Amino acid sequence: MTKTNIYQKLAIATTCAALGSMISGKALAVTVKAIATGSTNPTPISVGVGGTLQNGDFSIIRKIPQQPSIIGDGEDESTRWELDFSQSEGIETFLDQIAIKPLASAKLTFTATVSPGNYIATDTISMLGVKSIKVTDIPSFPSGGTQTVELDLIKDFGFTSDEILGSFNSEQSGVIPWAYQDDAIISSAQLELTPTPEPLTILGSATALGFGALFKRQQSKKQKES
């Protein structure tokens, strides 16, 4: 083996090692998600003061507790649920990452069913204790029937990483409470949280570029010698 070939192989091996180190050293952001599910068509019941109807993971509460009435029909009701991240895949890595980096995105997906004639102009969906979103500000929210809606809370609705993580790290750690008011049935909800990824290191990039240049020089030298 000639000296040129030795240098060439060394340059290739070192470049690959440097790139491998760069990639493995990059802390990829781990997305965690929590899900709540229920029925799009729960069986309505008649309740007295303070009565509730459990629809899977969703608790439906009469909006006007002083009046015995029907709940579960998606009219004049408060629906509450919790999104629990404690068992989410990758939660330990996620916790390490949010300790040093803010969230890059918080994507909420939920399914709403609106009965014909229901008045939803004043309805809201809320991360309790943080912020509410008017459904009239959600272009994809149904005016009737069942529709799945996707929202980017940070990008499109002004939620901040500090607000969301503040809720995430509140009394019941890893659980974010939600509520819907008041004229729709919420039958599923999912929240995906993604931290800001770590950038490639300058040293790693420079190293890879340096060995890439060495490889090109050795190739050029080989061509001249031949």
Side-chain angles (χ1 to χ4, degrees):
M1 182 181 294
T2 66
K3 183 179 290 187
T4 299
N5 285 338
I6 294 174
Y7 281 134
Q8 182 176 338
K9 289 181 180 292
L10 178 61
I12 293 173
T14 311
T15 301
C16 290
L19 289 172
S21 175
M22 248 183 13
I23 294 171
S24 64
K26 182 181 180 181
L28 299 177
V30 173
T31 296
V32 294
K33 64 182 178 181
I35 301 172
T37 59
S39 171
T40 59
N41 188 29
T43 302
I45 62 172
S46 178
V47 297
V49 176
T52 64
L53 170 63
Q54 198 65 33
N55 177 25
D57 296 321
F58 299 90
S59 296
I60 304 174
I61 307 163
R62 181 64 184 170
K63 187 180 178 185
I64 307 173
Q66 294 82 5
Q67 300 176 5
S69 187
I70 298 294
I71 61 171
D73 60 354
E75 185 175 357
D76 293 332
E77 300 171 345
S78 172
T79 302
R80 299 197 175 200
W81 66 96
E82 294 180 337
L83 292 176
D84 185 354
F85 292 86
S86 62
Q87 302 302 314
S88 177
E89 183 178 355
I91 186 63
E92 292 184 1
T93 302
F94 174 82
L95 292 173
D96 289 339
Q97 292 180 343
I98 62 172
I100 57 175
K101 288 285 185 178
L103 293 175
S105 69
K107 295 183 179 180
L108 176 68
T109 304
F110 67 94
T111 301
T113 301
V114 178
S115 297
N118 277 13
Y119 184 74
I120 61 170
T122 58
D123 284 15
T124 60
I125 185 167
S126 308
M127 182 182 290
L128 289 177
V130 178
K131 191 171 294 186
S132 297
I133 301 172
K134 295 180 180 179
V135 301
T136 52
D137 292 333
I138 304 173
S140 56
F141 195 87
S143 57
T146 301
Q147 181 73 36
T148 297
V149 180
E150 297 182 3
L151 309 178
D152 189 323
L153 299 178
I154 293 176
K155 180 180 178 182
D156 297 327
F157 290 94
F159 286 70
T160 68
S161 175
D162 285 346
E163 288 173 335
I164 297 168
L165 293 179
S167 179
F168 181 91
N169 292 316
S170 60
E171 294 181 8
Q172 195 173 354
S173 183
V175 176
I176 297 181
W178 287 83
Y180 184 90
Q181 304 278 358
D182 59 340
D183 289 314
I185 295 292
I186 306 300
S187 55
S188 71
Q190 174 179 289
L191 182 60
E192 296 184 350
L193 303 178
T194 306
T196 303
E198 292 286 350
L200 292 174
T201 64
I202 296 175
L203 177 60
S205 300
T207 302
L209 290 173
F211 283 115
L214 173 62
F215 173 54
K216 289 181 180 180
R217 286 199 299 272
Q218 296 302 330
Q219 279 189 317
S220 176
K221 183 177 180 182
K222 181 180 178 182
Q223 290 172 356
K224 289 179 181 178
E225 289 176 350
S226 61

